[in-house]
Amino acid sequence: MQQTENKIEKKLSDFGGSIQEDNSKAFAAAMSFFAQNNGGTLIIEKGIWKTGPISLCSNINIIFEEGAIISFIPTPELYRPVKTRWEGVVCYGMHPCFFAANVENISISGKGIIDGNGEIWWNLLAEKKKQGKPVTDLEKELASLNPGYETQPGGGGGRNTQFLRPSLMQFFECKNVKVKDITLRNSPFWTFHPVFTDGLTVENIFVTNPHDAPNTDGIDIDSCTNVTIDSCSISVGDDGIAIKSGSGPDGIQINKPSKNIKITNCRVGNGHGGVVIGSETAAGIENVDVENCFFDGTDRGIRIKTRRGRGGKVTNLKFKDLLMVNNLCPFAVNMYYACGTNRCEPEFFSLDALPVKDDTPSVSNVEISGVKATGCKASAGFIAAIPEQPLTNLKITNCEFETNETATETPDLSDMFAGLPEVNTKSFRIINADNPIFENVKISGPKEAFIFN
C-alpha cells in the first residue's frame, strides 16, 4: 500500500474535540486540515467521542489509542443523502457513518472501537415496515432522488420506505485502503462495506452485532478488486463475509465485477453465512480463494446465493481447509434465493428451463477441499441450480460432512429458497449440477448420502 510521506501528526483534541460532546465539527475540521496539507496522521485519543457522520480525505492515517471509541449519534436526520450503493443498486442513501468517497491511501488502525448505536436504527426499521412508503422528510427526499425506486431490487432491507440506513464504514470508489485491529459494532445496516474499491487489506478486525439485528452483515465486498481479508473475527445478524457485484439491470449496466479476493484465517460465529457469494451477483464474481477459516454455529458455512433476475457469472471459487461446527448446512449453492422478492413469482422460481437472458446468473468452477463439518442440523449440503444454467465444474475432495440426526431443524432450512419440492432426509441434495466430482468425501448421519432431485 502506498503511504503518504506527510509527517504531520495531530490529535482530535487539537481540533476542538471533547470527550462525550458532539464532535462532528472537530472531525470536519480535522479532515479539512489534512486535505489542505496532503494528509497526515490523526490520533483518536482514549475516551468516547460522539459524532455525526464522518467523511475522510486522501492520504489519511487514523490511529486509535486503546480505549478510544467513536460513537455515532443515532439521529437519522444527521445522515444526509449521498451517492452510494444500497442492496446492489447505485442510488442515494443516508450518509454512511464512517465514509470515504473517491479518495486514496487510507490507513485505519489501533485497538479502538467504532460504534454505530444500531439499536435505535433497528427499532425504527421495525416501525418503518408498518408504514410501507416514505413518510419522513428525509425519506421523501431520498425518494425524489431515487426515481423508480419502487421497482428496484432489494434483499429485504426496506427499499420501499426509502429508510436507507447507513453502513457503519464504507469506502466508495477508493484506492489503497488498509484497516487493521479495530472493532466495529452495533451497525445500523451493513457494517463494513467497500464499493468499487481497488487494493483493500483488512487484518485482525472484530465485527460484532447482535444475532437478531436486521441486515447487519459483517463485511460486504461489493464490486471490489484485489482484496485481502485475514484473521478477522465476526459475529453478526446476517451474512458474515459476503462478496457482491450489484443487482439486476443497474449492476449489469455498471458492470464492475468483484475479483481477486483472498480470505484467510477468519472466524465467523453468529450469522446467516460464513463466506457468502451474492445474492447481488450482476457484474460477476471471480477468483475467490478462502482458506483456513472456522465457522462456529454459523447458519451456513460456504454460501452461494443468487436467482433469475440477479444476473452475473460466478466462477473460479476455491475453498480449502475449513472447519465448521453446528451449522444448518455446511455448503449451499442456491439459485432459487427467495429474500427480497415475491416467493410466488413464477419466473424466478420455475423448475422448468427458461430462456437464458442478460440477467440469468451462472455458477461454475467451484473447488472445495479439506472441509470438515460436524453437527450439521439441516443437511449435509445443498445445491439447487437453475435448469437453464446448471452448476458446472464442481469438485469436492477430501471432505467430511456429518449431520445431527437428532436436531429438529428440517432440510428446508438449508438455505432461504422458494419453489423447490420438500425432502425429508438430511442428505447432500443436488439439483441441476452437471457431472459434479466427489473424491474421498465422507457423509455420515443420513440414511442416503446424496439426493438428486
Side-chain angles (χ1 to χ4, degrees):
M1 174 182 171
Q2 181 182 349
Q3 297 285 350
T4 175
E5 295 181 359
N6 197 316
K7 302 299 183 181
I8 295 175
E9 182 176 298
K10 294 281 189 177
K11 296 180 179 180
L12 184 61
S13 59
D14 293 334
F15 299 95
S18 178
I19 291 174
Q20 296 289 1
E21 300 296 329
D22 181 351
N23 291 282
S24 300
K25 291 182 179 179
F27 277 107
M31 290 306 120
S32 177
F33 172 83
F34 286 116
Q36 293 173 14
N37 289 276
N38 194 33
T41 297
L42 176 65
I43 306 294
I44 310 298
E45 301 135 282
K46 181 179 179 180
I48 299 175
W49 305 87
K50 295 181 180 180
T51 183
I54 298 169
S55 291
L56 305 184
C57 63
S58 288
N59 304 313
I60 188 73
N61 178 26
I62 298 177
I63 299 177
F64 285 75
E65 291 183 349
E66 188 166 0
I69 300 174
I70 293 179
S71 178
F72 284 95
I73 300 168
T75 302
E77 289 72 24
L78 296 176
Y79 298 80
R80 303 298 304 153
V82 296
K83 186 178 181 181
T84 182
R85 177 182 262 179
W86 205 89
E87 285 197 334
V89 176
V90 171
C91 63
Y92 284 86
M94 295 184 191
H95 191 299
C97 299
F98 208 90
F99 186 47
N102 300 290
V103 297
E104 61 184 7
N105 303 327
I106 300 169
S107 176
I108 301 169
S109 62
K111 296 187 180 299
I113 296 171
I114 298 177
D115 192 324
N117 288 298
E119 185 174 4
I120 290 176
W121 295 93
W122 310 327
N123 292 338
L124 280 170
L125 176 66
E127 293 300 315
K128 299 298 177 183
K129 287 184 176 180
K130 300 174 185 177
Q131 71 187 37
K133 63 180 182 180
V135 170
T136 69
D137 289 343
L138 179 56
E139 292 160 8
K140 291 177 180 178
E141 182 179 0
L142 286 168
S144 69
L145 292 168
N146 297 324
Y149 72 88
E150 299 93 339
T151 61
Q152 291 174 341
R159 190 184 300 276
N160 61 322
T161 66
Q162 291 293 280
F163 181 60
L164 305 185
R165 292 167 286 157
S167 298
L168 183 56
M169 177 177 284
Q170 184 177 103
F171 300 97
F172 189 87
E173 295 185 338
C174 295
K175 294 181 179 179
N176 300 326
V177 176
K178 184 172 184 178
V179 181
K180 182 178 180 181
D181 295 337
I182 63 171
T183 294
L184 306 176
R185 70 186 188 192
N186 299 323
S187 178
F189 184 57
W190 293 357
T191 307
F192 184 92
H193 183 205
V195 186
F196 307 140
T197 289
D198 178 61
L200 170 66
T201 300
V202 185
E203 183 179 345
N204 194 42
I205 74 166
F206 297 81
V207 182
T208 177
N209 300 309
H211 70 90
D212 58 350
N215 314 113
T216 53
D217 295 16
I219 299 174
D220 291 280
I221 306 301
D222 198 346
S223 290
C224 296
T225 53
N226 303 313
V227 176
T228 298
I229 301 173
D230 181 63
S231 300
C232 295
S233 181
I234 298 167
S235 183
V236 292
D238 209 309
D239 288 327
I241 302 171
I243 303 171
K244 305 172 180 290
S245 66
S247 182
D250 184 74
I252 293 170
Q253 181 180 8
I254 291 173
N255 193 30
K256 291 186 177 181
S258 279
K259 60 183 179 180
N260 305 333
I261 297 166
K262 189 171 182 64
I263 301 168
T264 54
N265 307 310
C266 291
R267 179 191 178 278
V268 181
N270 288 328
H272 293 170
V275 171
V276 180
I277 310 297
S279 65
E280 297 86 352
T281 56
I285 296 167
E286 59 184 283
N287 303 337
V288 177
D289 289 347
V290 180
E291 187 171 349
N292 195 33
C293 293
F294 178 34
F295 306 135
D296 183 6
T298 314
D299 288 349
R300 293 114 199 143
I302 303 163
R303 188 184 192 196
I304 302 169
K305 54 177 179 173
T306 186
R307 64 169 174 264
R308 295 175 176 114
R310 292 267 156 160
K313 181 179 180 181
V314 177
T315 189
N316 298 338
L317 314 177
K318 295 181 180 180
F319 305 93
K320 181 181 179 182
D321 296 339
L322 309 178
L323 177 63
M324 311 181 191
V325 296
N326 300 326
N327 311 113
L328 290 172
C329 178
F331 173 59
V333 178
N334 179 12
M335 298 180 74
Y336 285 84
Y337 184 62
C339 293
T341 189
N342 184 346
R343 290 172 182 255
C344 298
E345 175 59 56
E347 181 178 358
F348 288 155
F349 304 115
S350 172
L351 298 177
D352 298 325
L354 302 179
V356 175
K357 302 185 296 184
D358 289 344
D359 61 1
T360 303
S362 68
V363 181
S364 64
N365 301 337
V366 180
E367 296 183 17
I368 301 172
S369 62
V371 172
K372 184 174 182 180
T374 60
C376 304
K377 292 177 281 190
S379 71
F382 174 80
I383 296 172
I386 50 178
E388 65 268 27
Q389 289 282 33
L391 172 61
T392 59
N393 296 329
L394 169 67
K395 185 175 183 179
I396 302 181
T397 60
N398 303 317
C399 293
E400 298 179 25
F401 304 106
E402 178 186 70
T403 59
N404 180 353
E405 292 298 308
T406 65
T408 58
E409 288 82 356
T410 67
D412 285 346
L413 291 175
S414 296
D415 203 25
M416 301 170 183
F417 60 82
L420 301 177
E422 293 184 3
V423 297
N424 55 18
T425 62
K426 298 183 179 184
S427 310
F428 198 120
R429 186 180 185 185
I430 301 172
I431 304 172
N432 298 320
D434 187 7
N435 298 317
I437 296 173
F438 292 85
E439 294 180 352
N440 192 28
V441 174
K442 180 181 179 181
I443 296 177
S444 57
K447 294 180 180 180
E448 297 177 75
F450 296 95
I451 295 177
F452 293 85
N453 71 359

